Structure formats: structure tokens, C-alpha cells
């Protein structure tokens, strides 16, 4: 058996364990929490009084205008200077959540604006309150439109979690770095890490295509576009 193949087989369990225990949970938690933050931010910008909307715009401006790696460093290495000490995983979770929240808020705001105003008027005309109109009429239509961009954000987040290695989270890329430090085989190990990311991203892309096809089959995207 070639040396490179033997090394990849030996290191695979450790890499997969890091992926299962840290990369996937960090991705899922960050996306779910970030989606919640993004929804609140989007609704605030669209419907809240101007002072609250201004605060949200400032938050989105800061997050979108600075690198994610710098944000992680500020949370993990910077906050201890003011007495706030966080472990690596919670620091990464906060950083990714805030980052995802800023980007998804723009997606959600755009899809909410894409729903015709007549839908609001129709909901109000049959006696719905604002929360009822949002939940029963607006969100179902907006969700269909939001699936592709939100899915792309989720897939990108899987790869972005590799940045957590910089603040010592023992996720997939960090596990690869540790093995490289003992084997001195960076090319083989980093190719293997890249392949694992590629497989995960490909599976998610396939699931995204199925979800989009399902919505399209029932007229979701077609109706929304028309």
C-alpha cells in the first residue's frame, strides 16, 4: 500500500471524529441561531421605529465590513482584556452566529420585500393581525424564495468553520493541523481535509437541489417569480 494512502486511512478516523464532534455541531448551531438573529434584525429594519432600525443597520454594517477571522479574534483574544473570558467553542459560536445573522438578515429582508404588498392587504382584509399575516401569509411565500440563498449560506458556513482553528477549536481543520505537526506530511493531510469538506459540501448541495426541486414542483418558486 502506498505511504500516502496508508497515512490517509490512519488519519481518517481522527478527522471524521473532529468533523462530527465540532465542525457539524458548530455549523448547525451557528446557522440556527444566526437565522434567528437574522430574522429579528430583518423584521426590525423593516417594521421597527427608526432608532432600532438604525442600530440593526450599524450591526450589519460592522459585521459585513470586517473579516470573520478578525471578529473571532476580537471575541476570543480581545474580550479577555475587558474581563470577558470565553472558551474556544462558545467564542466561535458567538462569532459565527453574529456573522450569519448579519448576512441572513439581508436575505430575509429582501425576500420579505419581494412579497407583494397586496398580500398584506389581503390578509388584513380578512381580519388577520400583523403577526397572523406574517405567519400565515407572508412567511410561507418568503420561505420559498429564501431557500436557495439561505442554503448557499449554510454550505459556505461549513467551510468557514475551518477559521475556528485559529482560536483553537478542535474542529476538522485543526485536527488536520495536529496530525501534520506529528507526521510532517502537509500535502497529503490537507488534501484529505479538503476532500472531507468537499464531500460534505457536495452532499449538502445535493440536498439543496432536492429541496428546491420540491418547492418548484409545487409552484413555489414559479408563483413567487410571477
Amino acid at each position: 500500500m502506498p505511504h500516502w494512502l496508508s497515512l490517509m486511512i490512519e488519519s481518517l478516523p481522527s478527522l471524521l471524529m473532529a468533523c462530527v464532534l465540532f465542525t457539524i455541531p458548530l455549523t448547525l448551531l451557528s446557522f440556527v441561531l444566526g437565522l434567528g438573529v437574522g430574522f429579528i434584525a430583518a423584521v426590525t429594519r423593516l417594521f421597527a421605529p427608526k432608532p432600532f432600525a438604525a442600530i440593526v443597520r450599524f450591526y450589519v454594517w460592522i459585521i459585513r465590513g470586517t473579516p470573520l477571522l478578525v471578529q473571532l479574534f476580537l471575541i476570543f483574544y480581545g474580550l479577555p482584556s475587558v474581563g470577558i473570558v470565553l472558551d474556544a467553542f462558545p467564542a466561535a459560536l458567538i462569532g459565527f452566529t453574529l456573522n450569519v445573522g448579519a448576512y441572513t438578515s439581508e436575505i430575509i429582508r429582501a425576500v420579505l420585500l419581494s412579497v407583494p404588498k397586496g398580500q398584506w392587504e389581503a390578509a388584513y382584509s380578512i381580519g388577520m393581525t400583523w403577526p397572523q399575516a406574517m405567519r400565515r401569509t407572508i412567511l410561507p411565500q418568503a420561505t420559498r424564495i429564501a431557500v436557495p440563498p439561505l442554503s448557499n449560506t449554510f454550505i459556505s458556513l461549513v467551510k468557514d468553520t475551518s477559521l475556528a482553528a485559529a482560536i483553537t477549536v478542535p474542529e476538522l481543520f485543526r485536527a488536520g493541523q495536529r496530525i501534520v505537526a506529528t507526521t510532517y506530511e502537509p500535502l497529503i493531510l490537507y488534501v484529505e481535509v479538503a476532500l472531507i469538506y468537499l464531500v460534505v459540501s457536495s452532499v449538502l448541495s445535493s440536498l439543496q437541489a432536492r429541496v428546491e426541486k420540491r418547492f418548484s414542483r409545487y409552484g413555489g418558486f414559479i408563483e413567487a417569480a410571477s
Side-chain angles (χ1 to χ4, degrees), residues 32-49 52-57 59-60 97 100-102 104-109 112 130 134 139:
V32 172
L33 294 175
L35 195 59
V37 171
F39 179 77
I40 294 172
V43 171
T44 301
R45 286 192 65 177
L46 290 175
F47 304 106
F52 295 101
I55 293 173
V56 171
R57 283 198 299 270
Y59 152 67
V60 173
T97 296
V100 171
T104 57
S105 71
E106 292 297 284
I107 295 173
I108 295 170
R109 184 173 66 90
L112 289 176
W130 186 91
M134 175 66 77
L139 283 182

Side-chain angles (χ1 to χ4, degrees), residues 19 22-34 89 93 96 100 153-162 197 200 204:
C19 183
F22 292 97
T23 298
I24 293 177
L26 182 59
T27 301
L28 292 174
L29 289 172
S30 299
F31 185 76
V32 172
L33 294 175
F89 190 88
L93 181 59
F96 285 117
V100 171
T153 299
F154 182 73
I155 294 171
S156 296
L157 180 60
V158 174
K159 296 172 287 184
D160 289 342
T161 55
S162 61
Y197 279 116
V200 174
L204 292 175

Side-chain angles (χ1 to χ4, degrees), residues 7 11 15 173-191 193:
L7 180 59
S11 60
L15 295 176
F173 183 61
R174 180 73 172 177
Q177 288 179 316
R178 289 179 174 177
I179 298 174
V180 168
T182 59
T183 61
Y184 302 102
E185 295 284 0
L187 178 60
I188 297 173
L189 270 301
Y190 288 143
V191 166
V193 169

Side-chain angles (χ1 to χ4, degrees), residues 16 29 48-49 69 74 81 88 90 98 111-112 119 121 129 152 174 191-192 205 212 221:
L16 291 180
L29 289 172
L69 184 60
L74 283 173
S81 300
L98 292 175
V111 298
L112 289 176
Q119 297 296 318
E121 296 170 356
T129 61
N152 291 334
R174 180 73 172 177
V191 166
E192 185 175 16
S205 297
E212 292 181 12
F221 296 134

Side-chain angles (χ1 to χ4, degrees), residues 46-92:
L46 290 175
F47 304 106
K50 289 184 178 180
F52 295 101
I55 293 173
V56 171
R57 283 198 299 270
F58 180 75
Y59 152 67
V60 173
W61 174 65
I62 289 292
I63 296 298
R64 295 180 68 191
T66 56
L68 175 56
L69 184 60
V70 174
Q71 296 164 19
L72 293 174
F73 269 59
L74 283 173
I75 295 170
F76 186 66
Y77 295 113
L79 290 183
S81 300
V82 294
I84 302 174
V85 180
L86 298 170
D87 290 335
F89 190 88

